[in-house]
Amino acid sequence: MQVVVTYESRTGNTRTAAQLVAGGLKDAGAEVTIGPVDTPDFKALADADLVVVGTWTDGAFFLGQRPGGAGNIARSLPDLWDKRVYSFVTYALNPGRSHEKLADLLEAKGARSLGASAFHRNRLQDDASTFVDGIIDYYGN
Ligand SMILES: Cc1cc2nc3c(=O)[nH]c(=O)nc-3n(C[C@H](O)[C@H](O)[C@H](O)COP(=O)(O)O)c2cc1C
């Protein structure tokens, strides 16, 4: 399986989370290309069976949460017609619906969203591992 993991990150948490997801998928046998959203690997995206997109939670901590860098993601990623995508956000206190809004953004680009999660920035390892298990379960069935 060919996977692209791409992320938007200001202070490194989401990059770390993306690296954990990529590592878990590689361990499961996937061929993984990883990089920031603003330098997309168009060939890898075109060839991918699955695209994973991660970003951070922006907002006023308890209200107005949204995917950070959403404009950048919308601008930088090409259309993802019928691509299967999983997405995640990292957060500090309360992600609200930011992960669902990220999935909506990707669906607006034509993707088929199979799952959207929120990883607490202090539990990246555990939350990334659960996320990867969900992907492996889906492809194992
Ligand atoms: C401007 C700004 C707004 C944020 N708003 C929220 C928020 O509403 N809820 C929340 O849980 N975390 C919020 N955070 C925390 C980040 O989402 C969190 O630290 C995330 O892991 C940062 O990811 P990064 O290191 O990849 O940039 C905010 C951070 C910033 C810089």
Side-chain angles (χ1 to χ4, degrees), residues 19-69:
Q19 287 164 345
L20 289 166
V21 169
L25 291 170
K26 273 185 199 163
D27 288 348
E31 192 183 305
V32 184
T33 303
I34 178 171
V37 281
D38 51 7
T39 52
D41 181 331
F42 293 105
K43 165 105 175 64
L45 281 167
D47 291 345
D49 304 299
L50 170 69
V51 179
V52 177
V53 181
T55 191
W56 52 285
T57 299
D58 192 3
F61 286 88
F62 288 102
L63 47 97
Q65 294 96 334
R66 56 192 179 272

Side-chain angles (χ1 to χ4, degrees), residues 8-15 55-66 90-96 119-121 124:
E8 168 80 23
S9 181
R10 281 170 50 148
T11 60
N13 297 330
T14 314
R15 184 179 60 235
T55 191
W56 52 285
T57 299
D58 192 3
F61 286 88
F62 288 102
L63 47 97
Q65 294 96 334
R66 56 192 179 272
T90 65
Y91 70 99
L93 284 174
N94 182 339
F119 302 176
H120 192 283
R121 69 180 181 189
L124 295 180

